[in-house]
Structure formats: C-alpha cells, structure tokens
Amino acid sequence: MRPSDLPRPPGIGTGTDPGTDTDTGTDKETTVTSSHTLQARQLSLGYGEREVVSRLDVTLPPGRITVVVGPNACGKSTLLRAMARLLPPLAGSVLLDGRDIHRTPTKEVAAALGVLPQSPVAPDAIVVADLVGRGRYPHQGWFRRWTRADDEAVAAAMLATDVLDLADRSVDELSGGQRQRVWIAMALAQETGVLLLDEPTTYLDISHQLDVLDLLTDLNRDRGVTLALVLHDLNLACRYADHLIAMKAGRIVAEGTPGDIVTESLVHEVFGLRSAVIPDPASGTPMVVPLGRHHVTPSG
C-alpha cells in the first residue's frame, strides 16, 4: 500500500464534517466514549509462585488520564498487564463495565479496551499500513467487509503519529522510535473507549515523547478516551496525569492528582531519592529535581 492510497481522514485537510459520512451524508455513530469503566478489586498478581502485587483496589477515573509510576520491579507493568487481560490474576478480579474481564468474550473486550504492551512483536515482513490496519480487527464481523471508515481510521491514526510516509515500509526496517509510533498508531486505529499503554515513550527522543503525550492528551480531551499509562519520567507523569498512582513493592503508596500527592517525602519513600519539588515553569505541576552527592549547590 502506498501513502497516496490511504484517504485523508475526515476533518483533516478535507473540509468535511467529521461527523458525516461522505458517501451517504448520514451522521456516523460515535464509537469512542468515556462511558466504559475499568476497575481492579482485591487483585493479587504474580509469576509462578512469586507474588508481585497483593490485594490492590484500583479504579481508572472515566474520561481521565491515569499515570502509574514507581521504581523498577514495583509491579506497575504487571498491574497494567492484568487490567489489559494479558495476565490472569492469582486472586481478585478486573472488571470492565462491571463484568469480569476474563469472562467477557475477547471481541467485546477488544472493542472497548485497547492495549499497547511493552516490546510488542510484529509479524515478519509486515508493512506499516497493514500492521496499523490490524487495529480494526474488533470492528470486523463474519459478514462485515473493510470499509471506507476503516481506511479513514487507519489514515487518521498514521497521520496523528507521523508515520503516514512509512506506510509501505516493512516494520522490520524501522528504527526503535519509528516502530513505537507505528504501534501507537495501531492502538489509535482500534478506536476504543479505554486505552492502556505500557511505557509508550520508550525508544523515543524527547521531541517525540512530547508529541506522543500531547497526542494522547488530544485523544482524551477530544474523544473522552480513558487512558492509563506507565511512565518512568516522573516529571512528564506529573505534567500529563489527571490521576497519578505511585507504587512500591507491589502496593499503592499514594494516588490522586499530582499536585496533591507529589512531595519530597513521597519521592523519598517511593524512589529512595532526595529531591526538591518545585512548580514546573511550563505547566505549574510538580517538578522533581533530583539531589545527588555531586553537582548540587550548597545550601546556606
């Protein structure tokens, strides 16, 4: 597939009302809403006999951006995997719209919940446009063919993630940063009401990190998509999160808005790090300044 084969998505450089089907003139059904809920109840998780997370209760605020932070091996990615139905719980349950996610048909889950795990693996020799197109799987049925709406969703996702010019390229040929943006495009093409992303800024330079987080914020604000992310950069987490969850050793130490919970004592408790917490000059959100043994101006 060539980039020129992909249609311009409605409302992007076409002058078309994004709520109108250009073939029929009828209003399209909005598929993305913030009405879906995702919760964990008394959730215990582990690998083999090793318990990593113990009896957690977590609720993702609908229509908001939740970011999970914590040191390595604290259980944050394990928690996200379980909420995405990628890891069965040892005890407890994950509820999607009040139903046990492990007892809900896969296609129903995929129509409501999108996932970008760590280090996903693409099929050999698949090209970018085809991989992004796989995000449309939940919208296909036994008798439903690929439609213009599918083309537009794929094109919009590729345009938003700046990979439209890579449409014909093999995913195997791409750099780590390009590949990550392609996977994000696939998740966006799925057009779900809830989207979980495990370290979506991995492999990206600082410019593309901000592009991706700004894109996800647009998705949240424009479509009401509920987002949950695992991030390592605490300052970006504070800037972009509506709701922050800080974890350590498989438990939640604190959760709430960044301005309410991020303090020097919390940073020390969770990360074992001395720091100064000051207002971010760009956003006014908390900014954590690490204090090491060197290159620190003496006080007084």
Side-chain angles (χ1 to χ4, degrees):
M1 180 182 292
R2 299 182 304 274
S4 58
D5 293 331
L6 290 166
R8 297 293 287 182
I12 302 179
T14 63
T16 304
D17 181 350
T20 302
D21 189 310
T22 54
D23 292 330
T24 65
T26 59
D27 289 339
K28 291 182 180 179
E29 180 182 355
T30 300
T31 57
V32 177
T33 72
S34 61
S35 61
H36 296 291
T37 61
L38 188 63
Q39 303 169 307
R41 289 290 174 261
Q42 291 293 291
L43 192 65
S44 295
L45 306 166
Y47 302 95
E49 297 182 356
R50 183 172 64 93
E51 188 176 78
V52 177
V53 168
S54 180
R55 303 184 68 179
L56 287 190
D57 288 320
V58 176
T59 298
L60 300 185
R64 311 294 281 175
I65 299 175
T66 297
V67 179
V68 186
V69 298
N72 291 339
C74 72
K76 55 188 184 295
S77 291
T78 299
L79 172 62
L80 203 73
R81 290 187 66 212
M83 297 191 78
R85 210 178 74 158
L86 299 176
L87 179 68
L90 300 177
S93 59
V94 175
L95 305 178
L96 176 63
D97 296 335
R99 300 168 61 192
D100 189 325
I101 198 169
H102 288 278
R103 298 181 181 179
T104 304
T106 297
K107 208 155 195 177
E108 288 186 31
V109 173
L113 175 64
V115 182
L116 178 62
Q118 280 190 45
S119 304
V121 178
D124 289 340
I126 193 170
V127 299
V128 167
D130 289 342
L131 181 61
V132 177
R134 293 195 175 200
R136 301 301 296 166
Y137 159 76
H139 303 279
Q140 306 300 313
W142 287 106
F143 303 106
R144 185 187 181 286
R145 296 182 177 180
W146 190 269
T147 66
R148 177 168 180 165
D150 294 316
D151 281 332
E152 289 171 347
V154 170
M158 294 177 67
L159 188 66
T161 52
D162 194 25
V163 297
L164 196 59
D165 290 342
L166 304 176
D168 246 358
R169 294 272 302 277
S170 170
V171 175
D172 295 336
E173 300 173 0
L174 303 181
S175 69
Q178 289 173 324
R179 194 177 297 117
Q180 188 74 349
R181 285 186 283 133
V182 169
W183 283 110
I184 293 171
M186 188 189 77
L188 296 185
Q190 196 171 334
E191 292 187 320
T192 58
V194 181
L195 185 56
L196 310 181
L197 303 101
D198 193 355
E199 300 184 28
T201 55
T202 298
Y203 305 120
L204 301 181
D205 59 40
I206 186 62
S207 175
H208 280 114
Q209 288 181 41
L210 292 176
D211 286 345
V212 164
L213 293 172
D214 282 342
L215 168 65
L216 295 175
T217 300
D218 290 339
L219 189 67
N220 168 258
R221 292 180 178 176
D222 296 344
R223 301 189 189 181
V225 176
T226 300
L227 293 166
L229 295 73
V230 169
L231 291 179
H232 275 294
D233 189 313
L234 187 53
N235 288 327
L236 288 180
C238 288
R239 183 180 292 189
Y240 284 91
D242 299 311
H243 185 75
L244 191 69
I245 298 176
M247 292 185 63
K248 180 181 181 181
R251 64 185 181 90
I252 293 175
V253 178
E255 64 177 311
T257 65
D260 286 341
I261 70 169
V262 177
T263 62
E264 293 165 7
S265 61
L266 178 75
V267 173
H268 188 269
E269 180 180 359
V270 172
F271 294 94
L273 175 71
R274 289 194 312 118
S275 67
V277 176
I278 63 175
D280 185 320
S283 63
T285 53
M287 185 171 76
V288 178
V289 181
L291 300 178
R293 292 187 296 110
H294 300 289
H295 305 290
V296 176
T297 303
S299 59

